[in-house]
Amino acid sequence: MTHDAHPATALSAARRAADLTALGDRPEVDVLVIGGGVTGTGTALDAAARGLRTVLVERADFAFGTSRWSSKLVHGGLRYLAGGRVGIAHESAVERGVLLRTTAPHLVRPLPQLVPLLPGISRAQSSLIRAGFAAGDALRVAARTSADTLPRSRRVAAAEALRLAPTVRRAGLRGGLQAWDGQLVDDARLVVALARTAAGAGATVLTRVEAVAATGDSVELRDTGTGASLTVRARAVINATGVWAGEVDRSIELRPSRGTHLVFDAVAFGGLGAALTVPVPGSISRFVFALPAAHGRVYLGLTDEDAPGPIPDEPQPNESEIDFLLDTINTALREPLTRADIRGRFAGLRPLLKTAEDSTADISREHAVRTSPDGLITVVGGKLTTYRQMAEDAVDAAVASAGLPAAACRTTRLPLVGAVAGAARDRIDAPPVLIERYGSEASRIVSAWLADPALREPVAPGIDVTAAEFDFAIAREGALTVDDLLDRRTRIGLVAADRAAALPAAEAAFARATVAH
């Protein structure tokens, strides 16, 4: 890879080793963040950008937990508005605008959302959905996101509905209702960009480092590779471990909810140009979505099932959830999808705070910042779209409780590494698929191709990831294992057959990195 004009944002095995050594030499910091998901990396960025000496530790890899299992939507909170939760709906719409305009315009794109008006949707139900979309327009206006960024909702003719979703039933189709929202090219890529930007702002960012024990002013760390231990003294400790928050602070009670998605080849949906949005029979506020996704795929989601018990590293969908998703989407399709069409599946656990409500679907997605008696600060709840506000609130709490000399929050105005938009984006000489993943850094991949044409080869037949991208992930994005490459820096691993096909290329990339050093 070519040398970086901003090497501070490059994460690698060598940097990790140097940073661990430096932390051992000077184990006193202002803020220590536990957890490398979207909230933890966002919190580390917020703290470092305020001038605080910040360390983030993650026991596995960036986006190892819930942050890689989302729908990849950056949405304006329409569902919360339907439930009367105006505050979180407005917060979601505001944060969506920040992501689209400033934070990550290269990773987030406007996405049309289409509800086909089929005979199963009554005119009364259609009117309710239309009113909901109009409320979403009002939210967008209140959040000061222009109609140039996210167009107004509208009714579309049947021909337009079929252009956006070619496999929708034609019989009885009265057209469709269209609204717009935001979609991430990938949630794990957002987390990696946050981690790298935090590193560029001066944070020490360490994966494969476990917090064995934590209090409000110290954390015992263990390098999971070597077993070496280190105790760090911190003026503030922030627990941002999501569904595992209760394992770090026993006073936190969560009631996780499982959201399941199925993975299909894009051809199964005929080249989907919108989020195909199908109402769940018997509900006026729940929908199933088929979402165009990276690597020529479509993700079908989403369930909301109570998930009590131990927290697994990789939650698994159950059979009834798969049936629910297929049955619901098939109400809108000409040719029903079957289990034989499913290429992969994934499930994530939402870290919902326990309440007196019966249904996890009714538990508010609002976040909370709690301080335990020993001073440990926990930020929990919320959702991917509102990670930045969660991080700001957590750092505000740390600054107040520890009396830290910090500047004001800067993250509403702070672009992530690679952020580019408008004319500057148009001038980048790289394929659009690379610009969507890497933004202004896409030219580095192209430079690697030019230096060594072999690096332009796909990592497996039919997969739109090249060898240079694996090299980039190892040299700059903190990938330490083949799992990091296949399951998080790219999402090849969501389809087991694709993962097996790309595994030799991932191993070869680490072999090249070893030779280079």
Side-chain angles (χ1 to χ4, degrees), residues 157 436 482 514:
E436 287 176 4
V482 293
T514 302

Side-chain angles (χ1 to χ4, degrees), residues 24 42 50 55 98 142 168 179 190 203 279 288 291 302 309 326 376 410 421 468 478:
R50 299 194 202 197
V55 172
V98 173
V168 161
L190 174 67
V288 160
L291 302 159
L302 173 74
L326 286 174
L376 177 66
R410 294 179 48 221

Side-chain angles (χ1 to χ4, degrees), residues 2-79:
T2 54
H3 285 290
D4 198 335
H6 303 286
T9 63
L11 299 176
S12 64
R15 176 167 182 176
R16 176 186 178 277
D19 284 351
L20 260 176
T21 300
L23 184 61
D25 292 341
R26 190 177 155 218
E28 299 85 29
V29 303
D30 293 325
V31 176
L32 189 142
V33 182
I34 307 169
V38 72
T39 307
T41 54
T43 300
L45 173 57
D46 188 301
R50 299 194 202 197
L52 298 171
R53 184 168 187 236
T54 304
V55 172
L56 177 140
V57 296
E58 160 58 48
R59 69 180 174 189
D61 182 29
F62 302 123
F64 184 79
T66 304
S67 292
R68 66 173 153 147
W69 304 128
S70 77
S71 296
K72 287 65 173 153
L73 291 177
V74 174
H75 60 89
L78 193 54
R79 180 173 167 195

Side-chain angles (χ1 to χ4, degrees), residues 127-381:
S127 296
L128 278 172
I129 295 168
R130 185 74 191 88
F133 283 176
D137 290 337
L139 267 181
R140 174 187 57 75
V141 171
R144 299 184 178 177
T145 301
S146 78
D148 291 336
T149 302
L150 291 176
R152 288 184 57 188
S153 62
R154 65 192 181 110
R155 182 161 179 161
V156 299
E160 175 70 356
L162 289 167
R163 184 186 70 78
L164 291 168
T167 56
V168 161
R169 291 174 192 263
R170 295 174 186 229
L173 181 65
R174 310 191 301 274
L177 299 177
Q178 184 190 68
W180 289 77
D181 225 327
Q183 183 186 34
L184 280 163
V185 63
D186 185 61
D187 43 11
R189 293 208 62 76
L190 174 67
V191 176
V192 171
L194 282 163
R196 292 181 59 205
T197 309
T204 297
V205 179
L206 300 167
T207 58
R208 267 74 183 193
V209 173
E210 182 178 12
V212 178
T215 66
D217 61 5
S218 76
V219 182
E220 182 187 340
L221 303 177
R222 184 178 71 86
D223 181 335
T224 63
T226 66
S229 292
L230 167 67
T231 298
V232 174
R233 302 285 299 178
R235 294 176 68 181
V237 178
I238 299 175
N239 170 21
T241 55
V243 287
W244 292 279
E247 295 178 14
V248 179
D249 180 352
R250 297 291 177 184
S251 70
I252 299 290
E253 267 200 286
L254 297 179
R255 184 171 173 185
S257 156
R258 186 174 57 250
T260 285
H261 294 81
L262 306 178
V263 183
F264 296 85
D265 283 329
V267 293
F269 283 86
L272 197 57
L276 176 57
T277 305
V278 179
V280 174
S283 172
I284 60 168
S285 63
R286 289 193 65 200
F287 298 87
V288 160
F289 305 93
L291 302 159
H295 309 314
R297 296 170 181 166
V298 168
Y299 301 149
L300 175 65
L302 173 74
T303 63
D304 198 333
E305 298 291 329
D306 213 359
I311 306 295
D313 280 351
E314 294 200 8
Q316 295 299 318
N318 65 34
E319 297 304 309
S320 64
E321 289 173 300
I322 295 169
D323 289 339
F324 164 78
L325 291 172
L326 286 174
D327 290 347
T328 304
I329 198 68
N330 282 339
T331 64
L333 301 181
R334 272 200 312 284
E335 295 289 335
L337 293 167
T338 70
R339 285 173 177 254
D341 297 305
I342 299 170
R343 296 291 313 283
R345 58 194 71 180
F346 63 92
L349 298 180
R350 305 175 184 91
L352 307 181
L353 278 168
K354 192 167 186 177
T355 71
E357 303 288 343
D358 283 339
S359 166
T360 57
D362 295 327
I363 296 177
S364 173
R365 274 17 174 201
E366 289 179 32
H367 65 272
V369 177
R370 303 273 178 89
T371 303
S372 69
D374 70 8
L376 177 66
I377 295 165
T378 295
V379 55
V380 74

